[in-house]
Amino acid sequence: VKRSILEVAVDVPLPTVYDYLVETEEPPAPGVRVAVPFGNGRRCGVVVGHRVAAAVAGAKLRGVETILDERPLFDAEHLAFLRWAADYYHHPLGEVLGAALPVRLRRGEAALPLGEAGWRLTAAGASVDPAHQRRAPRQAAVLAQLREHLGALGHGTLTELLGACTPTLRALRAKGWVEPCRVKDPPPGVALPEEAGPELTGEQRRAVAAMMPAVAGFAAFLLEGVTGSGKTEVYLRLARAVLVQGRSVLVLVPEIALTPQLVRRFTRRLGDCVAVLHSGLADREREVAWQKARLGAARLVIGTRSAVLGPLANLGLVIVDEEHDPSFKQQDGFRYSARDLAVVRARRARGGRGCPVVLGSATPSLESLHNAGAGRFVHLQLHRRPGAVMPTLALLDIRDQPLEGGMSRVLLQALEQTLAAGDQGLVFLNRRGFAPVLACYDCGWLSDCPRCDARQTLHATSGLLWCHHCGAQRRAPVRCPQCGAHDLHPLGQGTQRLEETLAGRFPGVPLIRIDRDATRRKGSLERLLNVARAGNAALLVGTQMLAKGHHLPRVTLVGVVDVDGGLFGADFRAAERMAQLLIQVAGRAGRGDATGRVLIQTRYPDHPLLRTLVQGGYPAFAAAALAERAAAQLPPFAFQALFRAEATKPDDPRAFLEGVAALTIELRVPEVEAWGPVPAPMERKAGRYRAHLLLQSRGRPPLHSLLRRLLPAVRALAGSRRVRWSLDVDPVELL
Ligand SMILES: [Zn+2]
Ligand SMILES: [Zn+2]
């Protein structure tokens, strides 16, 4: 028996790795989980290295309690990548490794045995379409789950997903559709389905041809393709080529629920080697997918943000779809950008030889366009939309216009014509609820949130006042809480109110509202979209949920009710977000055989960026916006790190950040400027006061070397215990 000293990263918000003693023949390798005593408790940690015993001789070390894995869960390349990420974002390694693990493994539970007893589809069962089993919904559900999971599932996972289902399984077995089995990994070399897919357009062919030679090493591509130009087809060809070579593929998407079409296409075309990894999965399901990716049984992983931290055996290609989407940035805890890490992961893949990464979007982020301009990314474009024309954009000046429920006469008439032609109209407003505020006309009372510097939104169907920032709810009062008058009025527009106005104006026309409230129940989004796809004349009302990749072939007119909020947002990225959202919404129009029209209501028809967007499209807008950023020395022409602090006492966050600012001055790094501290744009949120300190530099290295020296001193600051604070490297939101 040998005594060894292990370096263990423990999942706690502290920046150190800890030494523990272990007495075994063979000490556990890096990447193995161990249970260790920590403080007065017990924690799960990951071995990240071994120490030479002499270096810590004499120190009193505690022993490892249990070695949890026989083999490492992280291989050397994966571990090195996560170490890099922890270092870059200045975040504790233990928490980064924790974020990369499925929940059960993170808690220290034993890994699920992959050879678990379970059930699989027989050949007869595989040919049954669950959708046709209406009269036996339980059986249909079991069949659908088995199909989704490569034809086989463990008994435990099935029960977790569907509840107890032994009688259902017995019935299915009697029909000869399922049989018991041990759930094993499919062999790594599963054959790809034959289907070749549609013929490529000239542009698609050129894009594929430009990328194909790069599959041997690292290369970054920005694939800018207008909505409907067929970026997915390009992804599929590339993925297929990489899979054929026996390597694996990672596809990152903003939100699985909003991109079911993309997921379905990958699954249909590339078949059994696809695993989907996202937070909507049950814990066990997620762990199985994670393990399959680690063992190389799932060779194409489609996932949201956190999938970039997961294991991938023999990585050969990374794709980030809708790369501009802000949801790729984690907004709490370990605040990483999945898009940026995707590029790093591709560069470090295959022992440093690298693999290609493709960032795709109809509206690329200014960061990525800047990287393309500087030659770091290869810029490929798809301008044409096969079989359809791009929609036309026009501004509607609504100054001095009478509005009906926020909509001008011109917009309402255009909707009427669209309906008369048997087409569909889409009315876009990025604000759910009935009205953003309830007001008393007698005394001026407003429905302020008691916990935030914000108003509570009125939700008419539930009769609630609801704060969209902290979630606080209360019954909407009938009389003014301040003066008792009955003169309460909703002010402004939300999607529920638009729906009500349109229902009054166009009686008998089917109305489909799509926002978070209308799609809370599982499957409801798909159901609403199917109604829209199947129907004839109809009106759709929705928030940005409608802007994502849904195909709505019957929509020929899009009305944007209010674009002005995006022109003057507190965040310097507000205009970029507004433009991206507008172009994405516009992309819904005219995807079938009809040309689309987009009418944008504004009180600022002369706003330069808005005019540029409408006249020159997104590329012209992006060029103008980048020039503005360069002139103002803002990202991507500068690098930022944001300290946020919050506390229940109003003065504490500011006092703490003043201490941080003083420390940065002491460190004397002239390339880095410190702005603040200032109150956050919404100073009070959920009952806590918040302040910001922004550090900015022309270059990355001075900023990061400053942070490295600064953080130990910040942790030791006297006020650091009175506030909750965090550091956000490359913040994408300054709110
Ligand atoms: Zn009142
Ligand atoms: Zn609130």
Side-chain angles (χ1 to χ4, degrees):
V1 177
K2 207 171 82 185
R3 279 161 66 94
S4 326
I5 296 166
L6 303 178
E7 291 178 310
V8 178
V10 184
D11 193 352
V12 289
L14 294 165
T16 12
V17 294
Y18 297 87
D19 291 341
Y20 286 93
L21 267 179
V22 69
E23 297 188 353
T24 48
E25 281 301 329
E26 192 67 39
V32 163
R33 292 175 306 145
V34 287
V36 291
F38 194 86
N40 297 324
R42 181 171 180 268
R43 296 284 182 144
C44 172
V46 176
V47 177
V48 293
H50 298 160
R51 229 183 251 292
V52 184
V56 275
K60 266 220 250 158
L61 292 181
R62 301 169 88 176
V64 163
E65 281 183 10
T66 325
I67 297 170
L68 295 168
D69 305 305
E70 267 175 47
R71 289 201 191 83
L73 291 184
F74 299 97
D75 64 26
E77 186 175 306
H78 192 191
L79 206 52
F81 163 71
L82 293 170
R83 260 182 191 275
W84 186 95
D87 188 56
Y88 180 81
Y89 289 102
H90 302 273
H91 199 82
L93 180 60
E95 286 196 335
V96 172
L97 295 176
L101 283 169
V103 180
R104 291 180 64 264
L105 299 181
R106 185 178 187 170
R107 285 198 299 248
E109 290 175 44
L112 288 174
L114 283 177
E116 187 192 3
W119 295 85
R120 71 175 166 221
L121 292 172
T122 60
S127 64
V128 175
D129 186 348
H132 293 150
Q133 302 303 308
R134 294 246 172 89
R135 286 165 58 198
R138 292 285 293 161
Q139 295 185 15
V142 170
L143 292 176
Q145 285 296 348
L146 288 177
R147 278 187 149 206
E148 243 178 69
H149 294 85
L150 322 179
L153 262 180
H155 199 91
T157 315
L158 257 179
T159 312
E160 187 173 290
L161 287 169
L162 301 169
C165 48
T166 311
T168 315
L169 285 162
R170 209 176 294 136
L172 285 168
R173 191 181 184 183
K175 286 181 174 170
W177 290 354
V178 303
E179 59 193 8
C181 69
R182 302 299 295 182
V183 181
K184 283 253 168 61
D185 319 316
V190 276
L192 294 171
E194 280 297 322
E195 197 208 315
E199 201 179 318
L200 295 183
T201 64
E203 283 188 328
Q204 286 172 328
R205 225 178 3 254
R206 278 192 291 281
V208 172
M211 296 184 201
M212 229 33 128
V215 297
F218 173 75
F221 297 95
L222 175 60
L223 180 62
E224 180 177 8
V226 298
T227 320
S229 62
K231 288 185 291 294
T232 310
E233 199 53 48
V234 174
Y235 302 155
L236 281 164
R237 298 299 164 104
L238 221 56
R240 197 182 174 92
V242 169
L243 290 171
V244 165
Q245 293 178 357
R247 286 189 257 143
S248 65
V249 178
L250 171 65
V251 183
L252 295 178
V253 295
E255 207 173 326
I256 294 277
L258 298 182
T259 44
Q261 292 162 356
L262 182 101
V263 175
R264 263 199 303 271
R265 262 173 88 183
F266 268 93
T267 320
R268 202 182 63 227
R269 293 276 294 281
L270 300 172
D272 288 351
C273 65
V274 177
V276 180
L277 205 55
H278 62 97
S279 55
L281 296 176
D283 289 350
R284 282 166 178 268
E285 250 186 313
R286 197 174 157 82
E287 185 181 325
V288 167
W290 193 91
Q291 292 281 26
K292 282 184 171 160
R294 185 173 76 80
L295 297 167
R299 293 196 301 128
L300 188 142
V301 173
I302 302 183
T304 44
R305 189 168 65 215
S306 65
V308 79
L309 305 175
L312 292 151
N314 199 11
L315 182 61
L317 172 68
V318 183
I319 293 166
V320 184
D321 191 39
E322 308 291 346
E323 65 88 30
H324 65 278
D325 199 292
S327 74
F328 282 123
K329 176 80 192 222
Q330 169 80 22
Q331 296 291 5
D332 55 18
F334 172 35
R335 296 164 191 258
Y336 61 97
S337 156
R339 179 199 57 207
D340 296 350
L341 283 184
V343 177
V344 175
R345 187 130 199 205
R347 181 179 289 131
R348 303 175 60 104
R350 306 172 65 222
R353 270 174 298 165
C355 75
V357 55
V358 182
L359 308 182
S361 175
T363 53
S365 62
L366 295 186
E367 276 81 4
S368 294
L369 285 169
H370 180 60
N371 277 328
R376 285 185 287 271
F377 295 175
V378 179
H379 197 171
L380 299 169
Q381 279 160 305
L382 304 174
H383 300 283
R384 265 179 289 281
R385 196 188 229 207
V389 206
M390 289 306 290
T392 56
L393 273 63
L395 293 177
L396 284 184
D397 183 354
I398 53 165
R399 287 173 299 184
D400 314 318
Q401 293 290 313
L403 300 178
E404 191 181 327
M407 290 170 287
S408 63
R409 203 167 292 156
V410 182
L411 176 55
L412 287 166
Q413 278 163 2
L415 287 171
E416 196 174 328
Q417 287 159 10
T418 304
L419 293 169
D423 291 333
Q424 296 180 347
L426 188 163
V427 181
F428 175 78
L429 177 65
N430 209 12
R431 203 184 299 127
R432 65 195 170 90
F434 186 80
V437 59
L438 187 65
C440 171
Y441 278 10
D442 261 23
C443 74
W445 172 87
L446 295 171
S447 57
D448 288 322
C449 174
R451 310 175 68 214
C452 304
D453 292 331
R455 315 268 187 240
Q456 288 185 324
T457 299
L458 176 65
H459 284 248
T461 36
S462 53
L464 290 175
L465 284 173
W466 192 352
C467 175
H468 291 178
H469 301 284
C470 72
Q473 291 181 347
R474 56 179 156 154
R475 290 249 128 244
V478 183
R479 298 153 61 111
C480 173
Q482 195 165 282
C483 72
H486 279 277
D487 214 12
L488 293 179
H489 297 268
L491 297 184
Q493 310 300 324
T495 43
Q496 289 180 358
R497 194 174 201 178
L498 277 182
E499 186 185 24
E500 191 187 275
T501 308
L502 290 167
R505 170 86 193 217
F506 302 106
V509 174
L511 253 170
I512 302 155
R513 193 182 94 225
I514 294 183
D515 56 26
R516 290 251 170 252
D517 301 319
T519 58
R520 224 164 274 277
R521 227 168 303 139
K522 204 179 170 191
S524 50
L525 175 64
E526 272 299 278
R527 210 178 46 248
L528 288 170
L529 288 171
N530 283 335
V531 175
R533 282 185 207 118
N536 294 322
L539 288 172
L540 285 84
V541 175
T543 58
Q544 61 173 328
M545 285 188 86
L546 263 180
K548 309 280 169 161
H550 311 298
H551 184 50
L552 300 167
R554 305 295 307 157
V555 171
T556 57
L557 176 74
V558 171
V560 178
V561 174
D562 177 16
V563 76
D564 295 342
L567 298 176
F568 306 100
D571 196 311
F572 71 86
R573 284 188 176 85
E576 179 186 353
R577 297 251 184 285
M578 176 275 294
Q580 287 163 345
L581 201 50
L582 211 58
I583 296 294
Q584 301 279 344
V585 181
R588 302 307 112 214
R591 300 196 79 182
D593 41 16
T595 319
R597 247 192 336 149
V598 183
L599 298 176
I600 303 160
Q601 298 196 145
T602 179
R603 289 193 163 81
Y604 304 90
D606 298 321
H607 191 284
L609 282 179
L610 192 54
R611 289 193 77 90
T612 309
L613 179 65
V614 168
Q615 286 162 5
Y618 188 78
F621 164 85
L626 268 174
E628 278 193 4
R629 296 269 186 95
Q633 283 303 317
L634 285 167
F637 300 90
F639 299 90
Q640 297 180 330
L642 180 67
F643 280 96
R644 292 184 178 88
E646 58 174 62
T648 44
K649 286 210 196 112
D651 297 333
D652 285 350
R654 206 189 159 92
F656 167 73
L657 290 179
E658 261 157 17
V660 178
L663 287 171
T664 60
I665 291 165
E666 275 171 38
L667 287 171
R668 291 173 201 276
V669 182
E671 298 94 327
V672 180
E673 293 175 81
W675 297 346
V678 293
M682 188 191 297
E683 187 177 10
R684 202 167 52 104
K685 185 173 168 182
R688 301 175 74 89
Y689 292 85
R690 309 177 317 143
H692 288 173
L693 174 70
L694 185 69
L695 303 185
Q696 182 169 308
S697 165
R698 295 286 303 275
R700 247 190 253 271
L703 179 62
H704 282 261
S705 84
L706 171 77
L707 288 173
R708 212 159 289 130
R709 289 154 63 206
L710 179 63
L711 282 167
V714 171
R715 286 191 190 97
L717 265 182
S720 71
R721 286 177 193 284
R722 279 201 300 275
V723 300
R724 221 189 267 162
W725 67 273
S726 64
L727 172 66
D728 191 350
V729 174
D730 304 330
V732 299
E733 222 174 62
L734 300 181
L735 296 179

